[in-house]
mmCIF file of all heavy atoms in Angstrom:
data_model
loop_
_atom_site.group_PDB
_atom_site.id
_atom_site.type_symbol
_atom_site.label_atom_id
_atom_site.label_comp_id
_atom_site.label_asym_id
_atom_site.label_seq_id
_atom_site.Cartn_x
_atom_site.Cartn_y
_atom_site.Cartn_z
ATOM 1 N N VAL B 134 -10.168 61.388 -10.990
ATOM 2 C CA VAL B 134 -8.857 61.532 -10.271
ATOM 3 C C VAL B 134 -9.086 61.192 -8.780
ATOM 4 O O VAL B 134 -8.262 60.400 -8.204
ATOM 5 C CB VAL B 134 -8.340 62.994 -10.424
ATOM 6 C CG1 VAL B 134 -7.167 63.204 -9.480
ATOM 7 C CG2 VAL B 134 -7.955 63.189 -11.868
ATOM 8 N N GLY B 135 -10.131 61.667 -8.135
ATOM 9 C CA GLY B 135 -10.360 61.391 -6.712
ATOM 10 C C GLY B 135 -10.590 59.864 -6.523
ATOM 11 O O GLY B 135 -9.941 59.284 -5.635
ATOM 12 N N GLY B 136 -11.397 59.287 -7.363
ATOM 13 C CA GLY B 136 -11.663 57.861 -7.237
ATOM 14 C C GLY B 136 -10.387 57.075 -7.517
ATOM 15 O O GLY B 136 -10.023 56.179 -6.760
ATOM 16 N N GLY B 137 -9.644 57.415 -8.554
ATOM 17 C CA GLY B 137 -8.445 56.656 -8.923
ATOM 18 C C GLY B 137 -7.379 56.749 -7.912
ATOM 19 O O GLY B 137 -6.807 55.753 -7.506
ATOM 20 N N LEU B 138 -7.111 57.931 -7.425
ATOM 21 C CA LEU B 138 -6.049 58.113 -6.408
ATOM 22 C C LEU B 138 -6.398 57.348 -5.109
ATOM 23 O O LEU B 138 -5.558 56.728 -4.493
ATOM 24 C CB LEU B 138 -5.781 59.576 -6.088
ATOM 25 C CG LEU B 138 -5.078 60.375 -7.171
ATOM 26 C CD1 LEU B 138 -4.969 61.839 -6.796
ATOM 27 C CD2 LEU B 138 -3.654 59.796 -7.423
ATOM 28 N N SER B 139 -7.656 57.505 -4.716
ATOM 29 C CA SER B 139 -8.068 56.878 -3.457
ATOM 30 C C SER B 139 -8.024 55.333 -3.565
ATOM 31 O O SER B 139 -7.534 54.650 -2.664
ATOM 32 C CB SER B 139 -9.460 57.379 -3.144
ATOM 33 O OG SER B 139 -9.948 56.718 -1.986
ATOM 34 N N LEU B 140 -8.470 54.838 -4.726
ATOM 35 C CA LEU B 140 -8.403 53.407 -4.951
ATOM 36 C C LEU B 140 -6.975 52.930 -4.933
ATOM 37 O O LEU B 140 -6.610 51.933 -4.292
ATOM 38 C CB LEU B 140 -9.032 53.090 -6.289
ATOM 39 C CG LEU B 140 -9.078 51.611 -6.738
ATOM 40 C CD1 LEU B 140 -9.904 50.788 -5.828
ATOM 41 C CD2 LEU B 140 -9.578 51.510 -8.174
ATOM 42 N N SER B 141 -6.121 53.693 -5.594
ATOM 43 C CA SER B 141 -4.699 53.351 -5.702
ATOM 44 C C SER B 141 -4.082 53.277 -4.261
ATOM 45 O O SER B 141 -3.327 52.397 -3.892
ATOM 46 C CB SER B 141 -3.964 54.373 -6.547
ATOM 47 O OG SER B 141 -2.626 54.266 -6.388
ATOM 48 N N GLY B 142 -4.498 54.265 -3.438
ATOM 49 C CA GLY B 142 -4.000 54.320 -2.074
ATOM 50 C C GLY B 142 -4.441 53.047 -1.295
ATOM 51 O O GLY B 142 -3.675 52.436 -0.577
ATOM 52 N N ALA B 143 -5.709 52.697 -1.434
ATOM 53 C CA ALA B 143 -6.231 51.507 -0.734
ATOM 54 C C ALA B 143 -5.483 50.261 -1.151
ATOM 55 O O ALA B 143 -5.131 49.419 -0.311
ATOM 56 C CB ALA B 143 -7.722 51.372 -1.038
ATOM 57 N N ILE B 144 -5.233 50.115 -2.472
ATOM 58 C CA ILE B 144 -4.494 48.951 -2.956
ATOM 59 C C ILE B 144 -3.105 48.868 -2.377
ATOM 60 O O ILE B 144 -2.679 47.893 -1.841
ATOM 61 C CB ILE B 144 -4.413 48.974 -4.516
ATOM 62 C CG1 ILE B 144 -5.792 48.904 -5.136
ATOM 63 C CG2 ILE B 144 -3.527 47.816 -4.997
ATOM 64 C CD1 ILE B 144 -5.771 49.143 -6.643
ATOM 65 N N LEU B 145 -2.372 50.043 -2.475
ATOM 66 C CA LEU B 145 -0.999 50.033 -2.050
ATOM 67 C C LEU B 145 -0.887 49.801 -0.544
ATOM 68 O O LEU B 145 0.012 49.102 -0.116
ATOM 69 C CB LEU B 145 -0.314 51.348 -2.455
ATOM 70 C CG LEU B 145 -0.130 51.554 -3.957
ATOM 71 C CD1 LEU B 145 0.354 52.948 -4.278
ATOM 72 C CD2 LEU B 145 0.853 50.515 -4.526
ATOM 73 N N GLN B 146 -1.757 50.405 0.237
ATOM 74 C CA GLN B 146 -1.742 50.151 1.683
ATOM 75 C C GLN B 146 -2.005 48.666 1.927
ATOM 76 O O GLN B 146 -1.454 48.109 2.864
ATOM 77 C CB GLN B 146 -2.840 50.980 2.406
ATOM 78 C CG GLN B 146 -2.456 52.488 2.451
ATOM 79 C CD GLN B 146 -3.662 53.324 2.779
ATOM 80 O OE1 GLN B 146 -4.745 52.835 3.095
ATOM 81 N NE2 GLN B 146 -3.502 54.638 2.723
ATOM 82 N N GLY B 147 -2.756 48.041 1.058
ATOM 83 C CA GLY B 147 -3.054 46.615 1.219
ATOM 84 C C GLY B 147 -1.828 45.722 0.893
ATOM 85 O O GLY B 147 -1.457 44.864 1.677
ATOM 86 N N ILE B 148 -1.234 45.973 -0.268
ATOM 87 C CA ILE B 148 -0.132 45.130 -0.640
ATOM 88 C C ILE B 148 1.117 45.361 0.245
ATOM 89 O O ILE B 148 1.919 44.491 0.444
ATOM 90 C CB ILE B 148 0.239 45.074 -2.158
ATOM 91 C CG1 ILE B 148 0.579 46.435 -2.693
ATOM 92 C CG2 ILE B 148 -0.878 44.453 -2.934
ATOM 93 C CD1 ILE B 148 0.948 46.419 -4.142
ATOM 94 N N TYR B 149 1.298 46.601 0.682
ATOM 95 C CA TYR B 149 2.432 46.850 1.526
ATOM 96 C C TYR B 149 2.159 46.656 3.044
ATOM 97 O O TYR B 149 3.086 46.805 3.860
ATOM 98 C CB TYR B 149 2.956 48.292 1.312
ATOM 99 C CG TYR B 149 3.550 48.393 -0.075
ATOM 100 C CD1 TYR B 149 2.997 49.183 -1.036
ATOM 101 C CD2 TYR B 149 4.728 47.739 -0.376
ATOM 102 C CE1 TYR B 149 3.556 49.284 -2.328
ATOM 103 C CE2 TYR B 149 5.318 47.846 -1.619
ATOM 104 C CZ TYR B 149 4.730 48.618 -2.568
ATOM 105 O OH TYR B 149 5.254 48.701 -3.816
ATOM 106 N N ARG B 150 0.940 46.451 3.400
ATOM 107 C CA ARG B 150 0.532 46.305 4.795
ATOM 108 C C ARG B 150 1.090 47.466 5.596
ATOM 109 O O ARG B 150 1.697 47.265 6.681
ATOM 110 C CB ARG B 150 1.045 44.989 5.386
ATOM 111 C CG ARG B 150 0.354 43.804 4.819
ATOM 112 C CD ARG B 150 0.883 42.554 5.474
ATOM 113 N NE ARG B 150 0.140 42.197 6.668
ATOM 114 C CZ ARG B 150 0.671 41.522 7.642
ATOM 115 N NH1 ARG B 150 1.937 41.115 7.628
ATOM 116 N NH2 ARG B 150 -0.080 41.253 8.745
ATOM 117 N N ASN B 151 1.036 48.657 5.046
ATOM 118 C CA ASN B 151 1.613 49.807 5.715
ATOM 119 C C ASN B 151 0.636 50.964 5.580
ATOM 120 O O ASN B 151 0.298 51.374 4.506
ATOM 121 C CB ASN B 151 2.952 50.139 5.020
ATOM 122 C CG ASN B 151 3.694 51.249 5.682
ATOM 123 O OD1 ASN B 151 3.100 52.144 6.314
ATOM 124 N ND2 ASN B 151 4.968 51.233 5.592
ATOM 125 N N PRO B 152 0.226 51.525 6.690
ATOM 126 C CA PRO B 152 -0.813 52.548 6.642
ATOM 127 C C PRO B 152 -0.331 53.869 6.110
ATOM 128 O O PRO B 152 -1.113 54.756 5.787
ATOM 129 C CB PRO B 152 -1.239 52.716 8.114
ATOM 130 C CG PRO B 152 -0.072 52.237 8.915
ATOM 131 C CD PRO B 152 0.592 51.176 8.084
ATOM 132 N N LEU B 153 1.003 54.045 6.039
ATOM 133 C CA LEU B 153 1.523 55.373 5.632
ATOM 134 C C LEU B 153 1.755 55.423 4.116
ATOM 135 O O LEU B 153 2.135 56.500 3.582
ATOM 136 C CB LEU B 153 2.816 55.716 6.348
ATOM 137 C CG LEU B 153 2.577 56.016 7.836
ATOM 138 C CD1 LEU B 153 3.898 56.278 8.529
ATOM 139 C CD2 LEU B 153 1.685 57.223 7.967
ATOM 140 N N VAL B 154 1.579 54.303 3.402
ATOM 141 C CA VAL B 154 1.811 54.332 2.007
ATOM 142 C C VAL B 154 0.679 55.008 1.314
ATOM 143 O O VAL B 154 -0.516 54.876 1.689
ATOM 144 C CB VAL B 154 1.944 52.879 1.478
ATOM 145 C CG1 VAL B 154 2.090 52.866 0.020
ATOM 146 C CG2 VAL B 154 3.118 52.174 2.136
ATOM 147 N N GLU B 155 1.012 55.787 0.306
ATOM 148 C CA GLU B 155 -0.033 56.440 -0.523
ATOM 149 C C GLU B 155 0.476 56.401 -1.959
ATOM 150 O O GLU B 155 1.576 55.986 -2.215
ATOM 151 C CB GLU B 155 -0.248 57.834 0.017
ATOM 152 C CG GLU B 155 0.982 58.667 0.059
ATOM 153 C CD GLU B 155 0.776 60.083 -0.406
ATOM 154 O OE1 GLU B 155 -0.346 60.405 -0.855
ATOM 155 O OE2 GLU B 155 1.669 60.926 -0.301
ATOM 156 N N PRO B 156 -0.394 56.832 -2.892
ATOM 157 C CA PRO B 156 -0.017 56.691 -4.300
ATOM 158 C C PRO B 156 1.326 57.351 -4.633
ATOM 159 O O PRO B 156 2.007 56.933 -5.573
ATOM 160 C CB PRO B 156 -1.160 57.344 -5.038
ATOM 161 C CG PRO B 156 -2.324 57.265 -4.114
ATOM 162 C CD PRO B 156 -1.788 57.278 -2.735
ATOM 163 N N TYR B 157 1.664 58.353 -3.872
ATOM 164 C CA TYR B 157 2.912 59.099 -4.247
ATOM 165 C C TYR B 157 4.149 58.560 -3.606
ATOM 166 O O TYR B 157 5.256 58.976 -3.902
ATOM 167 C CB TYR B 157 2.743 60.596 -3.915
ATOM 168 C CG TYR B 157 1.538 61.243 -4.572
ATOM 169 C CD1 TYR B 157 0.832 62.277 -3.987
ATOM 170 C CD2 TYR B 157 1.083 60.791 -5.802
ATOM 171 C CE1 TYR B 157 -0.250 62.884 -4.586
ATOM 172 C CE2 TYR B 157 -0.029 61.311 -6.417
ATOM 173 C CZ TYR B 157 -0.670 62.391 -5.833
ATOM 174 O OH TYR B 157 -1.785 62.933 -6.435
ATOM 175 N N THR B 158 4.028 57.615 -2.668
ATOM 176 C CA THR B 158 5.167 57.115 -1.967
ATOM 177 C C THR B 158 6.186 56.438 -2.892
ATOM 178 O O THR B 158 7.368 56.494 -2.687
ATOM 179 C CB THR B 158 4.739 56.055 -0.914
ATOM 180 O OG1 THR B 158 3.609 56.587 -0.220
ATOM 181 C CG2 THR B 158 5.834 55.756 0.056
ATOM 182 N N LEU B 159 5.669 55.797 -3.920
ATOM 183 C CA LEU B 159 6.569 55.025 -4.792
ATOM 184 C C LEU B 159 7.303 55.882 -5.815
ATOM 185 O O LEU B 159 7.990 55.358 -6.696
ATOM 186 C CB LEU B 159 5.769 53.937 -5.499
ATOM 187 C CG LEU B 159 5.257 52.824 -4.596
ATOM 188 C CD1 LEU B 159 4.446 51.836 -5.423
ATOM 189 C CD2 LEU B 159 6.437 52.086 -3.973
#
Side-chain angles (χ1 to χ4, degrees):
Chain B
V134 171
L138 286 177
S139 175
L140 179 66
S141 166
I144 296 172
L145 291 171
Q146 287 164 7
I148 58 179
Y149 290 112
R150 293 181 87 206
N151 184 331
L153 289 178
V154 176
E155 55 141 353
Y157 302 149
T158 314
L159 292 176

